[in-house]
Amino acid sequence: MCGIVGLVAKSLVNQTIFDALTVLQHRGQDAAGMVTCEGNRFFLRKDNGLVNEVFRTRHMKRLMGNVGIGHVRYPTAGSSSAAEAQPFYVNSPYGIALAHNGNLTNAEELVEQMFREDLRHINTTSDSEVLLNVFAHELQHQRKLKPEPEDIFEAVSKVHKRVKGGYAVVAVITGYGVVAFRDPNGIRPLIYGTRSTPEGEECMVASESVALDIAGFTRVRDIEPGEAIFIDMDGNVFTKQCAEDTKITPCLFEFVYLARPDSIIDNVNVHQARMRMGIKLAEKVKGLRPDHDIDVIMPIPDTSRTSALEMAKHLNVTFREGFIKNRYIGRTFIMPGQTQRQNSVRRKLNPIELEFKDKVVMLVDDSIVRGTTSKQIVQMARDVGARKVYFASAAPPVRFPNVYGIDMPSPEEFIAYNRSVDEIGEAIGADWMIFQELDDLKDSVSEGNTDTICDFDSSVFDGYYVTGDIDTAYLDRLDEKRKDAAKVVPETIDHEDEAPADLHTEIS
Amino acid sequence: MCGIVGLVAKSLVNQTIFDALTVLQHRGQDAAGMVTCEGNRFFLRKDNGLVNEVFRTRHMKRLMGNVGIGHVRYPTAGSSSAAEAQPFYVNSPYGIALAHNGNLTNAEELVEQMFREDLRHINTTSDSEVLLNVFAHELQHQRKLKPEPEDIFEAVSKVHKRVKGGYAVVAVITGYGVVAFRDPNGIRPLIYGTRSTPEGEECMVASESVALDIAGFTRVRDIEPGEAIFIDMDGNVFTKQCAEDTKITPCLFEFVYLARPDSIIDNVNVHQARMRMGIKLAEKVKGLRPDHDIDVIMPIPDTSRTSALEMAKHLNVTFREGFIKNRYIGRTFIMPGQTQRQNSVRRKLNPIELEFKDKVVMLVDDSIVRGTTSKQIVQMARDVGARKVYFASAAPPVRFPNVYGIDMPSPEEFIAYNRSVDEIGEAIGADWMIFQELDDLKDSVSEGNTDTICDFDSSVFDGYYVTGDIDTAYLDRLDEKRKDAAKVVPETIDHEDEAPADLHTEIS
Amino acid sequence: MCGIVGLVAKSLVNQTIFDALTVLQHRGQDAAGMVTCEGNRFFLRKDNGLVNEVFRTRHMKRLMGNVGIGHVRYPTAGSSSAAEAQPFYVNSPYGIALAHNGNLTNAEELVEQMFREDLRHINTTSDSEVLLNVFAHELQHQRKLKPEPEDIFEAVSKVHKRVKGGYAVVAVITGYGVVAFRDPNGIRPLIYGTRSTPEGEECMVASESVALDIAGFTRVRDIEPGEAIFIDMDGNVFTKQCAEDTKITPCLFEFVYLARPDSIIDNVNVHQARMRMGIKLAEKVKGLRPDHDIDVIMPIPDTSRTSALEMAKHLNVTFREGFIKNRYIGRTFIMPGQTQRQNSVRRKLNPIELEFKDKVVMLVDDSIVRGTTSKQIVQMARDVGARKVYFASAAPPVRFPNVYGIDMPSPEEFIAYNRSVDEIGEAIGADWMIFQELDDLKDSVSEGNTDTICDFDSSVFDGYYVTGDIDTAYLDRLDEKRKDAAKVVPETIDHEDEAPADLHTEIS
Amino acid sequence: MCGIVGLVAKSLVNQTIFDALTVLQHRGQDAAGMVTCEGNRFFLRKDNGLVNEVFRTRHMKRLMGNVGIGHVRYPTAGSSSAAEAQPFYVNSPYGIALAHNGNLTNAEELVEQMFREDLRHINTTSDSEVLLNVFAHELQHQRKLKPEPEDIFEAVSKVHKRVKGGYAVVAVITGYGVVAFRDPNGIRPLIYGTRSTPEGEECMVASESVALDIAGFTRVRDIEPGEAIFIDMDGNVFTKQCAEDTKITPCLFEFVYLARPDSIIDNVNVHQARMRMGIKLAEKVKGLRPDHDIDVIMPIPDTSRTSALEMAKHLNVTFREGFIKNRYIGRTFIMPGQTQRQNSVRRKLNPIELEFKDKVVMLVDDSIVRGTTSKQIVQMARDVGARKVYFASAAPPVRFPNVYGIDMPSPEEFIAYNRSVDEIGEAIGADWMIFQELDDLKDSVSEGNTDTICDFDSSVFDGYYVTGDIDTAYLDRLDEKRKDAAKVVPETIDHEDEAPADLHTEIS
């Protein structure tokens, strides 16, 4: 998961991009980057760390220009290197910088192809660098001294033909403007909006509508699957559908967990979708145990709060905040001669004892992946006196890998791997375990937009991959890579001690 | 406001102190510091920034020893300098490092006195440096080669006689152990707990019980007003009442806003106290407007969530999360030639439109100080379609300065300054404004501990100062200083660009 | 002026390149950079600062691979930006990193041409980025999947045809090896050598032979004007003459001042050349004033020591070190509210009073450009009691701009501008002023290699530019740019406070 | 070895102290520090690194005030920790910061004594911290609210009675001024001078007169052994002899190697003393081998240049610079899995082949300690073709440890340990080895000041310790400590990777 933003404005864009990245930070806390463009010159700053850490006053002073793009990165097992922060840059043609959210499923073939056809060298394992070079290659082939919107759209069309996977992309072309586009299945979100200023209209594209909100932009609409938007240096906006056979099958996990509740994705209000998930959970409880003995319903903060609240309301059960989330992120240092400590859930959550004492509590989480945290939470609830601990997941069991940009562990590590629902409950120590039905989950979301949403990328739940190119061989290869990567990636990183030294990201 | 922690353990303390400071971070995000002690040697690391930023692997490696103290600092108008992070250190006698939470109201006299009596130089404007030197002076006067617990308690007794104000203090004495004490009125909180390890018992003192929780310590009890606790290097715990005429009058604002909900202060569960605040607010609503037209009750996240939830429940009104808080802190950069932007509340909160549309909303906040944020929030609610906006404060109007360690603006800047409740409502644009009654607030807290809590420091609400030494002259002087400080302190600071160069805190 | 090095070895190259850059540091103290290549991956580290400052342990750990290039940069008025450290990189074709020493006189035309022909974007004002793109363009045009040495030499041939000026270049091509070449007039120096290891032969190219010395490489020979050398990944060495009408006309200033005395350039021992300069100065003195009254001859350390010693010997006059050079570089900080202090020569040199007292001293410097330092030195000699102060320059008066990579002030700032030799002496306050004759200077050098050196680039002395393309219009434009740049470039820079934020060099 | 400076001026002192430290940098490149004082407030900056690295613009901006002291530190085996940079600070009495050059031979006893008498804690192993506390203790005992010069001198007198060793000290007392003093044997140098400004006279004390020179101060005179100087805040200068039985026995090694040639120490011109060393060496050669076959005399740069030049002149032998010193300091990085490389002398010196070819060369060095470098240099001379290699040392063989502040290896590591002169020559591979006679060396220096210099600390040559308190037991203990320290101290340190975390020096 990553967050992206692109902006063509009438004055300096650095602060606005910074603000937008800050509210997109939930989509990636691993690295951040920004490219701005003034006249014929690019300025880049990127590094591992939070937005707040990566951009200091001295960097902002150098990020000149009224046009730019930004990125926040989620750490992925396959490419956790500090050297692979985005945006990436190529100087040929025109000078292009690009950032993206998603994952290409044919990146390796493209790397080879690109070298063979165009002698382009890819220096990292990031598929953003691949995507940038594919786009650059297609644009260069047209050999236009001054590319028109049509030329750029033409290049995007060719990109859609060559790359596979889920992706939302934003790029800046020196001297011409910002281009953004979304994969033909609309798996990853992308939205745009405008802001009026005395100097003229400004346009922003971003992963989520909250980025528009914070900067005072008015939401215009989602970029459609396969569609591209181009904003030239003067702020003129052009859009075009650049793919065939497109459909809106957004990633279901965005609504379950990834997106901010105050975002609107593909016309669905995320907050409302989560409320509906809670209602449907309540109905399931009623159906299964009409005479349930639940005393109190509690969310595992923060994501599941919305669902849990509605669930409680519809069951007419008391809702309480039993766990307090530690807002400030800790870190485990490994002293010489020490072995790594158990990374306890206590570092993240603290229970309020009196809310548990002698009660039957129903804990609600958005979803369960590995289940290790859930298990610790259940135990913690017991430790502070809960009589019984029930556990509800607003999403169905996660059983399949994600190949469209959400980093997940190897399937064997899923708690649901080879386990029935009851077995899962047993595994995490719950007295009762319930999961949302997949159809209920889909309905929770699609009820928000019955017009255009066809279906979803629900692959992590049902193993169905909308791009149609994912086979067992691919998944096995992916799993192998994940396991290899997992071996070398340490659990906790002090960024400062892990300075990169590569072509595009250097820390002194 | 600050947070403090002290620890005598059986193995390295650096990670545990780091963890404790992380969960106390809400008490101060301005600076952090730690001193550890190994054998006869102190190790110090302190700097402006979050706990996570101040302590990096290379610092942790140097923070050796099984004994130590830590501190997080809240920025105060009077001493915002980066050079004044805590702990402070003096080498005479014994080598002592000290950190504190609170404020001395006679610091200036003490500085003079200390120079006159003992030629001790105070190099900063921090009253922690003053407190440290008073304590050091008293300890030195006993001229013991090896101070016994009684000697240390004797010194604390003398400190209580000389210093005035509210304070919770933790100090480490090289080669002897950790001492902690609390002011005779118990204004600032201090608690301790123990943890069993195979090597023996470990003891921690901290501002709040959450610090004990995260590290797996069991809460023993609050340090009593005027009491001191001394833990020697072997982990033996000694306590003694070191003051006369003590009483428990804890700061009411800890329960309203400062403390974490999952903390227990003076035997009062903060979470439960806040629930009672919500209930009493509900009763007030019922009394004033039995036929109210409230459609939905919403907290201004995060503190007021507990109160708002109970208020909604007792009024049988729908509770909803209408505002989403931006979890990641933004920053406003001032570019050359730019003037500073308005610091909009939008950077902190984002409304979910559909929860407001055509509704009568009751917004609940923990308290109102300046009212500028409240005003913007009310406007924001209207902008997204609220039919009427009501506003409830879980605390009474803030009308008087705090002199015990909570930094507040000048009284004239309070929205309640020279305004009735209705006028306050009008000033923030609310259709209806209600405040908690002071007695209700006090009851909300004291119902949690009817045994030992006598009264509260409720000075910000009623102007009554429990230490009995605060007169108009003092308050005027304080106000003058605050205004002077406010003139030079910029609103946003990029710590890195403001490197200190003083005796105890240097950044390269 | 810059220094370059390229290396293909049998084990890690980072330490050897570091060492080589350290002994080439006299050619540029402004910035340093290194690219290494392992497998298909490049690693880059570059920044403003000394070699020692730029490369820290954490960077070295990342600079993996047995192949690499390095660069030290001299600050030039036109491109002093921190963002323009070398090497530069392009990913198409193959991935190429390049560094160079020298100056292109047709860089601006090339930038335009390159965009027109190839849509290549140049993001800085550095002509190294231009050179890299020209080379990349020519290599790409051959469209070879695997370029053979012949293909690379072909590309170099085309570069020679397109670019004008003086240049010595080193580049690494991912997966293929290191290529280096020298301009057809041999203005800038370039030499190579080999080292035997148990694993096979290693090859280094460098600006000066001292880089070979320190790393234990045996000097093989200078790269000839127009010649290119290619060392493949296995260490096989290929060379080819890639230009027509080549001639060896090395920059005379290398021998006067730039090069280390222990270097051998175009088969001329620099140390010996400088000794001959001293002898010829002695002869001139004898000719002009056979009965001179010189008591003592002193060098202005360090460069002129060699000449001054021989001059003294041949005049049979006592040689003394009258000035002690401050080895550690100072810096002038500008405090808020202060105006900049005069940058006194005292920060660089300190006279030993007793060596001057009542004596007639002949001061010897390698050359005189602005004359401001010379004037201060003469005055300093008088201040400590010299009876008469004579001044000898081992080079003729500098009267013309350098366009081949040596940064100099605007001609009007030369002390020799519109002044006769006597007037220069008067201007700097000397009682007698003598300059080397140009022919004597040329002879001093060419006597070391009468076989192959045709002539010299002596443009700064006589205004004759060997490349034949320098006209008044060009020089006027250059002067204009220099003056503009001078306006904004501060005299002293604290690198740390001037962090870059561009595509290739970022400092956190 | 260290360098110190103290300054009371009429405007900001930070730049002048910076400049002074820069020209004293040869006395210590390990760490640097500065304390300034404005009003009642101290500002400190200290860290490992060169002056240029430690003080950046942001630090200088904070180093406010017209009064201050500075220090550069030489790394010593016993206290190489980054945490022990100077000045040190105590807040009681008055606030005092102190820095010193030298070594106390009874530091351990003092640490104990001070704790017993005064409960003062010493947190490092630096004897500067000890000295500071002794001084502070003595000053405090007088209990003066405002100390007069006499009080300060009284305290210095008591310091002289308690501490033993060689020391030159500078301290600043908040609000009162700068005090400096020198040990009763005058082992370590200390000098002062004044500068007139429109605002009044300014006064500087420093280790060497060059510090006065660079800042435009006029040398007044050396501080006498046992004497103290006090400059109050208004610039009034007071001096007083504070010890009995004083004598001037300066460290002979200052003249041989440590001091800058342009310094004047105890009225002896160092440059001239070194010239006399060369003359006496020449006479010894004439005496021993009237028909010597020396073709050329060469210094091992830089220190021996002065001696070698005069030696050559008096022998009427050609003088040549055969070795070029690498001005820029290299560093050896240890890559994972690598073993440390031999630290070759080639990293420091490069021979000019033609000066050696077939010649009989006499190499001149200032002194020989371990002899490892000398041996490599002799071999290097042979490698480039020298027919015979002779070696002269301007000082006698070093055979005994230094206890007054010059860090040296363990005596067994001295090349002269248990070896005759011929055996030393053989050990380093020289065809002829000659050493200066001790009496000749003493004469070389004392001829410069026959009035007041009684004798010298020549202990490293003859084992005679002027303080009279050094016995075999002490030396054995010292040796033991040195060996222990040597085990843990790595040869090369990347300062940045070794950040300290202690009470007085922190690096973020």
Side-chain angles (χ1 to χ4, degrees), chain B residues 35 40-47 56 58-59 62-63 81-84 89-97 115-125 129 133 137 139-146 174 176 496-508, chain D residues 35 40-47 56 58-59 62-63 81-84 89-97 115-125 129 133 137 139-146 174 176 496-508:
Chain B
V35 161
N40 252 344
R41 188 128 185 215
F42 269 123
F43 301 96
L44 165 68
R45 165 66 189 162
K46 60 179 183 176
D47 199 359
R56 316 301 311 223
R58 63 179 184 276
H59 305 117
R62 296 275 183 143
L63 288 163
S81 150
E84 307 192 352
Y89 165 79
V90 292
N91 82 317
S92 159
Y94 312 119
I96 307 175
F115 189 81
R116 228 170 35 236
E117 287 179 15
D118 210 16
L119 304 175
R120 285 180 177 268
H121 171 70
I122 307 291
N123 202 58
T124 71
T125 62
E129 197 185 359
N133 275 280
H137 174 84
L139 206 51
Q140 184 156 33
H141 257 225
Q142 310 183 1
R143 313 205 59 77
K144 293 286 179 69
L145 259 189
K146 174 164 176 24
T174 332
Y176 300 112
E496 209 174 321
D497 298 345
E498 194 231 267
D502 85 329
L503 291 170
H504 294 277
T505 312
E506 302 167 10
I507 303 177
S508 82
Chain D
V35 160
N40 252 345
R41 186 125 186 219
F42 269 123
F43 301 96
L44 165 69
R45 167 66 189 160
K46 62 179 183 177
D47 198 358
R56 315 303 311 223
R58 65 179 182 275
H59 305 119
R62 295 274 183 143
L63 289 163
S81 151
E84 307 192 350
Y89 164 80
V90 291
N91 82 317
S92 157
Y94 310 119
I96 308 175
F115 189 81
R116 232 173 26 238
E117 288 180 14
D118 210 14
L119 302 177
R120 285 181 176 266
H121 171 70
I122 307 292
N123 203 55
T124 70
T125 62
E129 197 186 359
N133 276 282
H137 173 85
L139 206 51
Q140 185 157 31
H141 258 225
Q142 309 182 4
R143 312 205 60 77
K144 294 285 180 70
L145 260 188
K146 175 166 174 23
T174 332
Y176 300 111
E496 208 174 319
D497 297 345
E498 195 231 89
D502 85 329
L503 290 169
H504 293 278
T505 312
E506 304 170 8
I507 305 175
S508 82

Side-chain angles (χ1 to χ4, degrees), chain D residues 288-317:
Chain D
L288 289 170
R289 300 199 182 174
D291 306 322
H292 69 81
D293 56 348
I294 305 169
D295 291 321
V296 61
I297 290 183
M298 291 175 184
I300 314 293
D302 289 322
T303 311
S304 66
R305 181 173 290 126
T306 320
S307 308
L309 189 56
E310 285 311 291
M311 185 186 178
K313 191 177 172 193
H314 278 260
L315 284 174
N316 205 21
V317 168

